[in-house]
Amino acid sequence: MQQKILIEVEEAFRKFDEHLGEEQDVPAVVNNAVASVINQIVFGYRFDGEKQEEFEKLRDLMEYQEKAFTTFKVHVQVFAPKIGQWLPGKSLDDLLGEWKANFHTFFNTQIENHRQKIDFDSEENLDYAEAYLKEQRKQEAAGEFELFSNQQLMNTCLDLWFAGLSTTNTTLNWIICYIMNSPGVQEKMKEELDRVVGGDRLVAMSDKNELPYMNAVINESQRCANIVPINLFHATTKDTVINGYPIKKGTGVIAQISTVMLDEKTFPDPYKFNPDRFIDEDGKLKKVEELCPFSIGKRQCLGEGLARMELFLFISNMFNRYKVSPSSAGPPSIDKTDKVGVFPRKFNAILTKRH
Ligand code: HEM
């Protein structure tokens, strides 16, 4: 997995290097890199060369959808469906229909291409879709047709792809934004990186334990970015009692991780970006259970391991290779008061080589 991510780190470097010293669209490069990581895992190929155009079409579609789902009508429809349906504009059902039609076409094409090309006799699996299709064939041979259905494959590819891309991409951009807004942080990261890694190789996962400040910056950025503030809805599977409150089976519940990560008892001055809160008296990384951006419990994030690796390898390598300075517009905004507060705004930055 590390190898797959480092290929994208190097490809991002190649793109950044083309515009050294100029204002450049850093989030666009990061987005392409993260999309290639998840697409390698699910469908076995990267978005480069002739596939680049494919990614650009998907990216435009995602940007369109992100905006489409944040209209006033959609918000009202979610919380008050009867009132919302009378407001002008596209309804939630129309948008979901469009979304399905557009993305299902992409995923179904990928799956059918795979089915044609797979060597069903080979033990090795090149990607998730291939592993699934081989298992599907085994199950069908044993008379089981429902568990590994085509519909299920389409849905799981879609889940992995979307859950894996937007969250990781958004978090990486927030980390860069917080660093650029916090004087002194980049210098401390630089000092640690120069001492532990140096400029003549890539940072690897084996360096992680030796870079406590880097980890603290990532932790603190995830805490402040708080990108899944409401979290996903679940339901209790049996009658239970939480903090003395009886909760009936089948009740909708949400583990509100944002309230835990912004609790001032654990994180004094919680809205302040302060990586040092994760460093102990001996300069080591503090483990703080209340830091839970991937949620908790049985349904916590399935991609946590991959996401943590991506955050560490992208951020540590980027800041080891470059000094990242604000564009003429100043440091990127970290204001979250607009209606899509979990996404950082678009920004440019100036990259210069450090070594
Ligand atoms: C920084 C990046 C990420 C963050 C902050 C994040 C956060 C979360 C959160 C808060 C949940 C909800 C858990 C709950 O219901 O309590 C979740 C679920 C999930 N995530 Fe992630 N995620 C990230 C990256 C990824 C990646 C890279 C993948 C896939 C490769 C992924 C796949 C999933 C899936 C499939 C679920 C649903 C799990 C289930 O319902 O059992 N996530 N994630």
Side-chain angles (χ1 to χ4, degrees):
M1 195 64 77
Q2 163 161 269
Q3 209 42 43
K4 284 190 166 64
I5 300 170
L6 288 178
I7 290 173
E8 302 313 327
V9 166
E10 291 196 291
E11 177 59 17
F13 283 177
R14 198 188 57 69
K15 290 182 182 152
F16 286 146
D17 284 357
E18 282 174 9
H19 299 284
L20 283 179
E22 300 164 24
E23 298 195 356
Q24 57 173 309
D25 185 349
V26 171
V29 176
V30 171
N31 193 16
N32 202 151
V34 179
S36 276
V37 171
I38 194 67
N39 209 61
Q40 280 193 70
I41 293 168
V42 179
F43 293 124
Y45 69 89
R46 315 181 39 242
F47 290 118
D48 67 347
E50 60 186 44
K51 296 289 183 190
Q52 183 64 29
E53 206 180 308
E54 189 179 285
F55 169 67
E56 276 157 24
K57 276 195 198 140
L58 283 168
R59 187 202 52 205
D60 292 348
L61 207 54
M62 281 189 287
E63 277 180 10
Y64 163 75
Q65 303 281 4
E66 256 165 33
K67 284 204 195 92
F69 279 98
T70 56
T71 60
F72 180 63
K73 180 182 174 88
V74 170
H75 277 95
V76 177
Q77 260 206 303
V78 169
F79 295 104
K82 290 213 170 110
I83 301 174
Q85 70 184 352
W86 297 109
L87 294 173
K90 285 189 183 170
S91 74
L92 195 53
D93 288 346
D94 292 340
L95 288 167
L96 283 171
E98 266 182 23
W99 191 88
K100 248 175 137 177
N102 287 328
F103 288 113
H104 281 201
T105 310
F106 170 71
F107 286 99
N108 276 330
T109 311
Q110 299 299 328
I111 291 167
E112 284 320 308
N113 286 347
H114 263 68
R115 211 187 294 277
Q116 310 300 326
K117 286 192 204 140
I118 288 181
D119 173 3
F120 279 96
D121 296 325
S122 152
E123 289 284 308
E124 201 192 340
N125 295 313
L126 299 176
D127 52 63
Y128 172 80
E130 178 167 330
Y132 189 105
L133 288 167
K134 283 186 184 164
E135 185 60 31
Q136 182 185 53
R137 181 172 278 204
K138 270 194 214 153
Q139 297 275 339
E140 286 178 358
E144 165 60 64
F145 291 89
E146 276 186 24
L147 200 56
F148 281 75
S149 66
N150 289 338
Q151 186 62 39
Q152 187 74 287
L153 172 57
M154 229 282 301
N155 289 337
T156 52
C157 288
L158 200 127
D159 276 353
L160 288 174
W161 216 88
F162 283 101
L165 174 57
S166 161
T167 47
T168 312
N169 181 41
T170 303
T171 304
L172 282 167
N173 283 313
W174 274 119
I175 301 175
I176 300 167
C177 291
Y178 280 117
I179 295 172
M180 289 176 69
N181 275 277
S182 314
V185 168
Q186 214 174 143
E187 283 63 36
K188 280 172 98 169
M189 290 163 76
K190 189 177 92 175
E191 183 282 317
E192 187 181 65
L193 285 162
D194 287 347
R195 187 164 33 82
V196 177
V197 183
D200 50 8
R201 67 172 176 90
L202 289 176
V203 187
M205 289 310 288
S206 51
D207 296 309
K208 197 164 190 274
N209 290 344
E210 305 305 316
L211 296 170
Y213 191 70
M214 177 64 62
N215 288 296
V217 169
I218 295 172
N219 284 356
E220 179 67 343
S221 304
Q222 284 206 271
R223 189 190 70 79
C224 292
N226 193 7
I227 66 160
V228 197
I230 298 180
N231 207 353
L232 304 187
F233 292 42
H234 293 289
T236 46
T237 53
K238 56 182 183 191
D239 291 353
T240 187
V241 178
I242 302 176
N243 276 358
Y245 294 97
I247 314 273
K248 286 231 163 301
K249 177 180 172 177
T251 307
V253 287
I254 308 174
Q256 272 224 320
I257 50 179
S258 61
T259 57
V260 181
M261 293 199 287
L262 292 170
D263 184 350
E264 58 192 353
K265 283 193 225 103
T266 319
F267 303 107
D269 202 356
Y271 292 95
K272 185 167 185 247
F273 179 80
N274 173 19
D276 286 313
R277 64 171 94 239
F278 288 100
I279 299 290
D280 71 14
E281 316 73 64
D282 303 321
K284 300 240 159 52
L285 187 69
K286 243 194 247 173
K287 182 156 174 43
V288 182
E289 251 185 19
E290 288 81 356
L291 176 75
C292 51
F294 298 97
S295 193
I296 48 168
K298 284 194 177 154
R299 301 301 296 270
Q300 78 181 79
C301 178
L302 171 135
E304 177 171 348
L306 170 64
R308 283 188 187 282
M309 204 185 267
E310 286 187 82
L311 300 183
F312 176 75
L313 291 175
F314 274 115
I315 295 297
S316 59
N317 278 300
M318 179 173 176
F319 284 87
N320 195 31
R321 185 172 171 96
Y322 304 107
K323 174 170 188 247
V324 183
S325 313
S327 71
S328 52
S333 170
I334 47 172
D335 179 16
K336 293 209 220 149
T337 50
D338 74 2
K339 60 182 184 298
V340 281
V342 290
F343 299 109
R345 317 249 168 99
K346 288 189 181 310
F347 67 91
N348 282 349
I350 301 170
L351 272 52
T352 43
K353 283 255 206 74
R354 289 214 309 112
H355 298 281

